[in-house]
Each structure stands twice: as structure tokens, then as C-alpha cells.
Amino acid sequence: MRQLSGQDATFIFMEKRATPLHLTSLYIYDPSTAPGKKVTYKQLMAHIESRLGSSKVFTQKLLHVPMDLDYPYWVDDPDFDLEFHVRHIALPAPRDWRQLCILTSRLHSQGLDMSRPPWEMYIIEGLDNIEGIPPGSFATLSKYHHAAIDGASGVEIVSGLHDLSPKPVRHKQQASQADEPPSTVELLKRSGINNVRLPFHLASVLARTRPGFDWLPRRKEPEEERAEAPKRPVPRTPFNQPVSAHRVFTGQMLELADFKTIRQAVTGVTINDVVLATCAGALRRYLLAVDELPEEPLVAGVPINTRTEKDRDLTGNVVSSMSIPLQTHVDDPVQRLEQIRDLTAAEKTTEKAVSARRMTDINHHLPATTLTMASRLISATGLMHRSKPLFNCVITNVPGPQVPLYQCGAELLATWGCGPLLDGVGLIISAHSYNGKMFLCATSCRDIMPDPGLFAECMQASFDELLAALRPRRKGSKARKRR
């Protein structure tokens, strides 16, 4: 039994029917590499069952403290039923990319059963008409509640389900007895102790946040002032309004080598900067197309992994975030990339990195009743979209393995992802790198983005424009295939 952190519990308390807070991953496999060139549903079920021990996320459910006097606990589910969590479906005709996006959107829109371990997996057959994917391929769509995992811990779960060669590694499932959950009296006793202890831990964290006299105003050095961009108001965009319960998903598969080419062409640029600049260009193109581009630059909320070595084995969330102006008012793509590089470098100073970690610690040590009331107040009153936006969208970049992975011998070809939305934050763009590819995925509300195909075209065009500006076309070179 383990208790949720304050950060994890926030995802429980802020969830509503229209805003389920889970992460969805879509993996596409080629069964021709498997023994017998075929993978059956029965084989996949046996494989998943043998890997349940790789993470406690699979077999633990939530146990709430009476009256939410303390954060919930993860406890073993004595009635765990693998067949409830893993479902078998087929992609409808014409079994193309558009149908897969529609199916992914519908499944992502549906919330999880929070009375059981909060995850589901759909095995999808019939991927016979998707460009670049061999006929007969299959997919798995996995949903995990954000209270249970973040991007970094999600990568660990993926690693536990896969092998490094087509020959499956046999994992013997060890029989284990579910721990007895604590009684109501024991939960109330624990909550009483925690509610006395946490304020003292919070005071300690706050004291470490500004040691000595660092809280006093000071004159900034010239270098700091040059690195710091002038503060601009975050503009309102179509993405900053209440979201419905319906989702849309789209994506583009790009070459990771091209991202590295751009990175090497501009001094000091990182892969993450290239991702941000590509998304910025896509947002600029899309909002121009719908006549909604504001004069002020859009601002992205960018999650930061604040895990330390001691947090490496933790599931759940150990993240903070930074706000990055995307310079969408700049027309030139290279200028836009250079400005984003300078802005991200300024945000990643040592002082701000420490502050991000301290904010995570503060969140972990807030009393549960305070955080519960605050989270539900924000969710119920719509403060996220009624107040001035803190940012216009969320952009995440989760590096993945750069070697082929296999499940039941079938090679993993592509990895896509959908993120959760909130009222006032109606767009999340996630980047996943895997085996030499970069997958850009966009999740939005159907009412906010009724034309996801247009946004996919904007992502591709933005990247092509940036790459062409930094790498002159070779004579006689063939055009690259597009989805």
C-alpha cells in the first residue's frame, strides 16, 4: 500500500465527465517478425499477464480516505480481472489512417472505471489500409490514469511490456497474495497524523526555497536582463475555452535525423527547441487559416521532468512546468527557432530549475483537505477558462528508445499518444521519439478543432518549411512520402 502524492491526487480531484484525466498511447505492430508471422489475441493476453509484475500500476486500485481527509492510497485489487482491462476490437472499414484517428479519439474520450486499477488496453486488428504500414498489422491502445503515471514513468511501463528481440523473453508470473486494505479506523488514524505532520514539512520546504536573504529584491545583472524576455500578456485563442466530452486526434510521423539536421544548423539549439518551433509554426499556420491568429505570441506550458535519482523507481508524477512564448508573431521560421532557443535557455537556469523542484515539493506537502477543496473549486467554477489564461496549449516531448522493440515477436513500428484536456486548455501536442522517428501528436476538443486534418497538414508544412530553410534541397532529390 502506498499513498498518492499531492500532485497525483490533483488529477483525481480535478477530473470531470467532460475532462477525464488519463493518458492514451497507440502502438502499431508488424506481426511478420513474430514466430509463425502471426500473433493471436490469446498470445497477447498470455504475454500481458506474464508482465503484470513489471509495474504495480496494473494491479492496484484507489482507496479513498473517508471525507477525503487525506490523499487516497494505492492498494492491491483482490478481484483483479485481466479480461476486464484488455479488450479485442477491429478497425472499421475502410481501415485507413482516418478511421484509426476517429477510433482513437472515441476511445480516448471515455473515462476509466476508477473502482478498478485505472487502465485499459484495446487490441485493434485490421490495419490493412494505412500508408506505410504493412497489411495485417495490429495496434494496441492503452489508457492509464494520469494519477498513476507521467511521461517518464510511462516509458518504464512500455519497456516492461516489450523485448529487444523478436524472440519473446519468457517471464514467469509469480503468484502473489493481495495485501489486506486498512480499515476505516486505520485510515482516519493515518490521516490525523499526516494532517499534523504535513504543515511542518511544508514549512521546511518553504524555508529551503529561499535560503538566507535570497527573498530580498536585488539588482539584476545585464546578462540576466538580456536573457529575460519582456513579459507579454497571454492572448486568448480558440483553445482557451471550455471543452466538451468529445476528442479529436491527429499526428505526423517525421524523421528524427531531420530534427538533428536542424539542431546542428543553429548554434545552441536542442531537439526540444526544434519540437517547439515546429509546433509554433503549425499553430501560426492553423490560426491564420481560421483567421484567429492574435498579435501577441502564443504561450505553451511545457512539462519538466523533475525526477532525481531517488525518484527513478517511482510511478506517478514528479513533474513541474515552464511557460515558453512560441513567437507565433514572427513570420521567419529560423528567426522563430532562434528566439525560442533563447527563451528556453533563460527558463532552464539553475535557479529556475531548483524552483521547479521546490514547487513540486510544495505540492506534495499541502494538506489533503486544502488541495481537495482548491482542486474541486477550480474545476466546478470554471476558473481555468474564466480567468486570464496562463498558457494557450501544452507541448510535451518524451524521448523514447532508439532501438526496435517487440511484443510477442511483433515489431513495434509507430508510437502515438493522446493527452488530457482541461477547460481553458483545449490543445495538447505531444512528441514521442522512437527508433529514428519523431511522432507529433495533437489532441483537442471536437468543438474547438473540428478539422484535425488541417492541423496535421500545418504540422507537416511547418516542419518542411523549417527544414528547407536550413538545408538546401539537393538537385534531383526525390520528394519524401507524406501521410
Side-chain angles (χ1 to χ4, degrees):
M1 185 179 80
R2 57 193 175 89
Q3 191 170 27
L4 276 70
S5 68
Q7 196 170 36
D8 295 341
T10 302
F11 290 105
I12 302 295
F13 301 144
M14 290 194 69
E15 188 169 56
K16 299 191 300 182
R17 189 189 69 83
T19 55
L21 299 180
H22 55 257
L23 304 172
T24 296
S25 298
L26 177 68
Y27 306 122
I28 299 177
Y29 299 89
D30 176 11
S32 67
T33 58
K37 301 185 182 299
K38 185 179 180 181
V39 177
T40 66
Y41 173 67
K42 185 177 179 181
Q43 287 175 314
L44 284 167
M45 284 290 287
H47 172 82
I48 295 165
E49 185 174 20
S50 71
R51 304 297 175 96
L52 292 177
S54 64
S55 175
K56 293 182 178 180
V57 169
F58 292 117
T59 56
Q60 290 192 328
K61 66 177 183 178
L62 285 170
L63 177 64
H64 286 270
V65 176
M67 298 176 286
D68 287 326
L69 291 175
D70 201 357
Y71 299 135
Y73 289 83
W74 293 114
V75 296
D76 294 332
D77 183 4
D79 303 314
F80 176 75
D81 179 8
L82 182 62
E83 292 189 4
F84 170 84
H85 293 272
V86 183
R87 294 94 185 266
H88 191 195
I89 58 177
L91 184 64
R95 300 183 172 184
D96 58 6
W97 173 248
R98 181 173 178 273
Q99 279 299 320
L100 186 59
C101 287
I102 292 172
L103 179 62
T104 300
S105 302
R106 288 175 178 170
L107 294 175
H108 182 59
S109 300
Q110 301 166 8
L112 294 165
D113 183 346
M114 300 303 287
S115 68
R116 298 171 180 264
W119 68 276
E120 294 174 355
M121 184 181 293
Y122 294 82
I123 297 170
I124 308 170
E125 290 190 351
L127 279 62
D128 297 331
N129 194 26
I130 299 177
E131 183 181 352
I133 300 297
S137 296
F138 69 93
T140 64
L141 184 145
S142 305
K143 298 164 59 175
Y144 300 93
H145 201 279
H146 213 329
I149 67 168
D150 60 12
S153 57
V155 170
E156 296 301 318
I157 291 176
V158 172
S159 300
L161 289 173
H162 291 81
D163 299 307
L164 295 176
S165 74
K167 185 177 180 181
V169 178
R170 294 188 178 277
H171 285 221
K172 187 176 180 182
Q173 178 68 13
Q174 296 181 350
S176 60
Q177 188 174 0
D179 294 334
E180 190 72 24
S183 65
T184 300
V185 173
E186 177 63 21
L187 287 174
L188 291 173
K189 180 181 176 183
R190 287 171 180 253
S191 70
I193 295 172
N194 286 339
N195 284 320
V196 170
R197 178 176 56 86
L198 282 177
F200 291 98
H201 283 288
L202 179 60
S204 174
V205 171
L206 291 172
R208 294 197 307 272
T209 301
R210 289 291 181 191
F213 296 98
D214 283 355
W215 56 272
L216 290 172
R218 67 181 179 87
R219 184 175 177 273
K220 292 181 180 178
E221 298 297 327
E223 293 80 4
E224 291 181 284
E225 291 182 347
R226 283 197 296 269
E228 210 171 79
K231 295 294 183 182
R232 298 191 180 193
V234 179
R236 279 206 171 272
T237 70
F239 309 122
N240 303 115
Q241 56 181 297
V243 299
S244 73
H246 307 291
R247 300 289 175 265
V248 291
F249 158 78
T250 190
Q252 288 287 4
M253 181 172 67
L254 306 168
E255 295 294 330
L256 184 58
D258 288 341
F259 278 78
K260 293 178 180 178
T261 297
I262 295 171
R263 179 191 65 184
Q264 292 164 0
V266 182
T267 303
V269 162
T270 66
I271 293 292
N272 196 56
D273 294 335
V274 182
V275 168
L276 290 173
T278 301
C279 295
L283 288 163
R284 175 181 168 82
R285 285 174 173 270
Y286 180 80
L287 292 175
L288 278 172
V290 298
D291 198 25
E292 292 278 5
L293 181 68
E295 293 182 2
E296 299 294 335
L298 271 68
V299 176
V302 181
I304 306 171
N305 182 6
T306 57
R307 288 174 184 269
T308 61
E309 188 64 25
K310 68 177 183 179
D311 301 324
R312 188 178 59 180
D313 298 326
L314 292 177
T315 56
N317 297 268
V318 190
V319 295
S320 186
S321 66
M322 58 183 180
S323 296
I324 302 295
L326 294 176
Q327 307 306 88
T328 48
H329 62 302
V330 177
D331 181 55
D332 183 83
V334 178
Q335 252 184 18
R336 193 186 308 128
L337 172 62
E338 291 172 339
Q339 291 182 19
I340 288 174
R341 171 202 60 194
D342 296 341
L343 291 165
T344 55
E347 282 292 318
K348 291 177 181 177
T349 60
T350 302
E351 182 180 347
K352 291 188 178 181
V354 171
S355 296
R357 179 67 193 184
R358 292 284 184 252
M359 287 304 298
T360 304
D361 289 341
I362 290 170
N363 199 349
H364 285 182
H365 292 100
L366 283 173
T369 48
T370 303
L371 190 62
T372 303
M373 292 176 64
S375 300
R376 289 179 174 164
L377 178 66
I378 292 170
S379 182
T381 59
L383 285 177
M384 286 287 287
H385 70 271
R386 294 180 188 277
S387 57
K388 292 181 180 180
L390 298 175
F391 41 80
N392 302 111
C393 64
V394 173
I395 301 176
T396 71
N397 179 19
V398 181
Q402 296 308 309
V403 295
L405 297 179
Y406 301 84
Q407 185 166 216
C408 284
E411 183 181 358
L412 176 60
L413 301 179
T415 67
W416 306 94
C418 299
L421 304 180
L422 290 169
D423 287 337
V425 188
L427 174 65
I428 178 169
I429 305 173
S430 55
H432 310 264
S433 60
Y434 162 69
N435 195 27
K437 305 289 184 184
M438 179 69 82
F439 300 87
L440 286 184
C441 319
T443 309
S444 188
C445 163
R446 189 174 67 190
D447 297 340
I448 291 174
M449 186 183 284
D451 45 6
L454 172 61
F455 192 76
E457 292 172 6
C458 290
M459 288 195 291
Q460 185 69 64
S462 171
F463 185 72
D464 288 345
E465 180 185 42
L466 184 57
L467 183 62
L470 293 168
R471 188 186 70 178
R473 292 179 180 271
R474 296 177 180 177
K475 293 183 179 180
S477 63
K478 294 182 180 179
R480 292 177 296 154
K481 290 184 178 179
R482 300 281 176 250
R483 168 162 291 127

